[in-house]
Amino acid sequence: MDAIACDIMSNVRRCVLDTDGMVAAFRSDAGASRQVLLAALAGRFDLLLSVPLMLEYEAVLSRPEHRAASGASARDVADVLDGLAALGKRVRLAFRWRPALPDPSDDMVLETAINGHAHAIVTFNERDFNPIAAEFGCLAMRPGELLRVLATEAD
């Protein structure tokens, strides 16, 4: 593991949750993504949020297929997002970094991470995020990996 990754892994305090992780947390109460979201709610790390990212969460979580899979109503989605808005650390996007990633919808996640000085982007798509995120001292990691880091910090 390179020096940036080792330094980040020893102190993960500010994270951005990619939309894929938010969807997984919403759809399954048994997975690592849900545990990451619960850890954020418990204050174990700062969940960084921006207006574009919250709008993306809303658009994706409100899709009929995600609501049907989770059994959530439109009101449930709104309540979850309201809770996130109340708890998360707001990031003002002073600089734009587009286009930077193969999927343009991932750029808002990266911009939130860079502008918020994130230690990590929690995603299932590390391959696309890691090269550019590392340039800004940020690491892309899967939800389970973040949980392992948080567990070692608690020991």
Side-chain angles (χ1 to χ4, degrees):
M1 193 179 300
D2 65 14
I4 292 173
C6 288
D7 184 47
I8 291 168
M9 292 293 280
S10 67
N11 184 21
V12 178
R13 290 283 160 234
R14 300 169 66 82
C15 300
V16 176
L17 183 57
D18 188 9
T19 309
D20 63 2
M22 183 61 69
V23 168
F26 200 75
R27 291 178 67 139
S28 171
D29 60 358
S33 295
R34 175 71 64 95
Q35 296 306 310
V36 165
L37 195 52
L38 292 173
L41 290 168
R44 295 190 57 208
F45 67 91
D46 291 335
L47 181 62
L48 304 177
L49 301 169
S50 65
V51 170
L53 186 56
M54 287 295 289
L55 292 172
E56 170 78 357
Y57 287 166
E58 179 181 36
V60 173
L61 292 175
S62 296
R63 290 180 186 160
E65 65 269 23
H66 296 311
R67 287 194 22 237
S70 66
S73 68
R75 180 76 251 157
D76 294 333
V77 171
D79 288 345
V80 168
L81 295 175
D82 287 347
L84 286 177
L87 131 87
K89 303 296 181 193
R90 291 174 186 86
V91 173
R92 184 178 153 278
L93 300 183
F95 297 99
R96 298 212 176 232
W97 300 96
R98 296 177 192 209
L101 297 167
D103 180 352
S105 65
D106 286 338
D107 285 332
M108 71 188 74
V109 175
L110 180 66
E111 287 174 343
T112 303
I114 293 169
N115 283 277
H117 307 286
H119 297 117
I121 297 169
V122 183
T123 182
F124 292 102
N125 186 13
E126 307 119 307
R127 183 178 37 122
D128 286 347
F129 277 104
N130 258 329
I132 188 77
E135 292 179 28
F136 294 94
C138 184
L139 184 67
M141 62 175 57
R142 295 177 72 82
E145 192 175 359
L146 176 60
L147 290 177
R148 285 188 291 280
V149 171
L150 293 173
T152 61
E153 288 179 357
D155 292 341

